[in-house]
Amino acid sequence: MDHFVYKDGVLHAEDVPLARIADALGTPFYCYSTATLVRHYRVFAEGFDGLDSLICYSIKANSNLAVIGTLAALGAGADVVSGGEIRRALAGGVPAHKIVFSGVGKTRDEMAMALDAGIMQFNIESEPELAALSAVASGRGATAQIAVRINPDIDAATHDKIATGRKDNKFGIPWPRAREVYRAAAASPGIEVVGLAMHIGSQLLDLAPFEAAFTLAARAVAELRGDGHDIRRLDLGGGLGVTYGQDTPPPPADYAVMVRRCVGDLGCQLIFEPGRVLAANAGILVCRVIYVKETGHKTFLVVDAAMNDLLRPALYEAGHEIIPLKEPAAAAPRAPVDIVGPICETGDILALARPMPPVVADDLLAVRTAGAYGSVMASTYNSRLLVPEVLVKDGEFSVVRARQTFEELLGSESLPAWLAGKSAA
Ligand code: LLP
């Protein structure tokens, strides 16, 4: 459920007509709804009422400071994967003691920065990373609390590019090898073993792979405790899917019941790292039709948003719903069109053979479920400017990231001395 709905025939974000934002800012732009973010956070959190749990919002899904701040105000911590994301989490108001640092390639500089900030936990993904963290922490007289990320070798049955829990993926350490890593960790200066972590993939539409992974996690916790480790936190990662097109993800409440069944009685604090399920439906990308191009063979809607603004359809064949800002008549005929951007690549697609009501040039469209992995994955390919982001709350909207300018785009580049001042003869 989200708060982008037609009222009197025009699409609103909460109580703000989206066309009003388009008039003020131009297109394209991302628009986020506070009410949807809050609702999704609450629905997810409610499932774990009465359990010792912490929701560490996965910053990578949407790292706009206003989005982080909205969730931080509800009590969310943060799952981060870079020094940049630590900075964002802190700037968005997440206390350091609620930050979990994941990722296979943490550099020593990032470790030092995270230790100085006083983050809660590092999720360790390899032996060399453990050695590096031990060196960095002990060198600063600090202690890093760690969990080891286990790779359970489970197929999450999601898109290949976002499955992370199989043994041929780069993530985590296979069980039982991880048991050795725990032994090494316990003997490493500057390291305190506190937990176990797992994240098997993203956009999961079935609870079964989660259940298999969490069952293995419960067994691993018992064995590690038997080895003498004080495993008091269990980080179950993110991964719960959302609806793009025809997908039917399990409701968060069912996920919570399954979690309780698998790991609810271990006496661990449960950490969750949801990204998409909190942010995806809380955002849309609004764009304008530049041309309706008829080839005789096909109809293309050429819009002013492109794969550089929203990469998911091109990269993962994701089927984001696309609707006109002006509500079409229920009886309006639907005809298949390709919705494409201006980028010079055939892959620059927002939707293929999508049944759409009649649309003409200058019409505004909303690409739905774009609040997660939308703006954060944008680039300036084809020298297109990064688009603005807007946060709506009730009847108000605020520009929470301005449209990039050409001065910003070109300002950090320069001609080398041997070219400066020369012009072609
Ligand atoms: N925790 C870890 C360690 C992760 O790697 C991820 C996502 C999450 C949590 C959050 O997962 P979520 O709840 O959002 O599924 N760009 C892709 C998604 C990449 C996900 C990467 N890791 C997409 O647009 O589908």
Side-chain angles (χ1 to χ4, degrees):
M1 196 220 136
D2 64 48
H3 296 77
F4 299 102
V5 287
Y6 290 113
K7 294 180 192 175
D8 298 328
V10 294
L11 192 67
H12 281 61
E14 303 189 19
D15 298 328
V16 180
L18 283 150
R20 191 198 298 162
I21 305 179
D23 285 347
L25 296 185
T27 52
F29 63 89
Y30 277 96
C31 178
Y32 310 129
S33 153
T34 301
T36 310
L37 281 169
V38 170
R39 183 187 146 79
H40 288 183
Y41 180 85
R42 294 218 167 113
V43 166
F44 191 89
E46 267 166 21
F48 305 105
D49 272 353
L51 284 184
D52 181 9
S53 62
L54 177 64
I55 297 172
C56 290
Y57 166 57
S58 195
I59 297 279
K60 66 174 79 66
N62 184 326
S63 56
N64 186 287
L65 292 184
V67 170
I68 298 172
T70 300
L71 294 170
L74 300 171
D79 157 51
V80 301
V81 291
S82 69
E85 285 193 349
I86 295 176
R87 283 172 209 273
R88 281 188 179 275
L90 294 171
V94 178
H97 67 85
K98 290 187 183 174
I99 296 179
V100 175
F101 194 178
S102 310
V104 295
K106 307 174 193 79
T107 65
R108 287 169 182 245
D109 283 350
E110 287 175 321
M111 290 171 178
M113 182 237 185
L115 285 166
D116 291 350
I119 69 160
M120 174 169 72
Q121 176 174 307
F122 294 78
N123 290 347
I124 294 294
E125 303 235 14
S126 67
E127 287 98 329
E129 187 199 354
L130 174 65
L133 183 60
S134 172
V136 174
S138 53
R140 311 174 91 72
T143 301
Q145 299 202 330
I146 67 130
V148 175
R149 177 166 171 186
I150 310 281
N151 181 320
D153 193 21
I154 283 170
D155 185 351
T158 183
H159 193 285
D160 255 2
K161 289 195 173 94
I162 52 176
T164 55
R166 292 183 303 222
K167 67 174 184 294
D168 50 355
N169 301 137
K170 68 181 175 182
F171 298 100
I173 302 176
W175 187 258
R177 184 185 172 119
R179 214 163 160 180
E180 296 306 313
V181 178
Y182 273 99
R183 204 162 291 149
S188 300
I191 299 288
E192 182 188 1
V193 171
V194 297
L196 184 147
M198 239 181 213
H199 170 77
I200 61 170
S202 197
Q203 184 56 11
L204 271 71
L205 296 172
D206 184 359
L207 292 179
F210 282 123
E211 177 141 17
F214 299 166
T215 304
L216 182 102
R219 240 189 8 251
V221 168
E223 287 180 29
L224 290 168
R225 284 176 171 162
D227 292 346
H229 303 290
D230 179 14
I231 305 295
R232 51 189 189 270
R233 293 185 201 141
L234 180 57
D235 180 342
L236 298 174
L240 198 55
V242 300
T243 300
Y244 300 107
Q246 306 305 312
D247 301 331
T248 48
D254 293 3
Y255 171 82
V257 168
M258 178 275 297
V259 166
R260 284 174 186 272
R261 185 168 62 239
C262 297
V263 297
D265 59 359
L266 291 176
C268 286
Q269 179 188 32
L270 300 181
I271 298 172
F272 300 94
E273 302 175 352
R276 190 188 315 264
V277 77
L278 301 186
N281 280 314
I284 59 172
L285 172 63
V286 176
C287 60
R288 191 178 287 278
V289 178
I290 309 176
Y291 301 115
V292 179
K293 173 172 173 172
E294 309 274 2
T295 67
H297 169 61
K298 259 189 172 182
T299 302
F300 294 96
L301 300 186
V302 184
V303 300
D304 62 2
M307 65 188 285
N308 73 300
D309 304 305
L310 179 66
L311 187 57
R312 304 197 69 264
L315 193 58
Y316 313 116
E317 295 88 35
H320 290 251
E321 190 186 352
I322 303 182
I323 56 174
L325 260 55
K326 236 185 283 155
E327 186 171 19
R334 303 299 201 260
V337 294
D338 285 6
I339 305 179
V340 299
I343 282 186
C344 294
E345 281 209 33
T346 303
D348 180 23
I349 286 160
L350 292 180
L352 278 183
R354 179 66 59 84
M356 288 289 285
V359 168
V360 297
D362 275 340
D363 278 0
L364 292 163
L365 302 178
V367 185
R368 292 168 64 87
T369 325
Y373 306 110
S375 176
V376 283
M377 292 176 73
S379 75
T380 58
Y381 186 38
N382 278 205
S383 290
R384 291 166 52 84
L385 299 175
L386 295 177
V387 308
E389 295 175 281
V390 173
L391 181 66
V392 167
K393 184 172 188 308
D394 306 321
E396 275 182 74
F397 75 89
S398 171
V399 179
V400 293
R401 187 182 73 188
R403 191 181 303 282
Q404 195 180 25
T405 64
F406 284 109
E407 290 68 32
E408 286 163 348
L409 184 73
L410 297 178
S412 58
E413 296 179 29
S414 54
L415 288 168
W418 63 89
L419 289 179
K422 294 204 175 152
S423 56

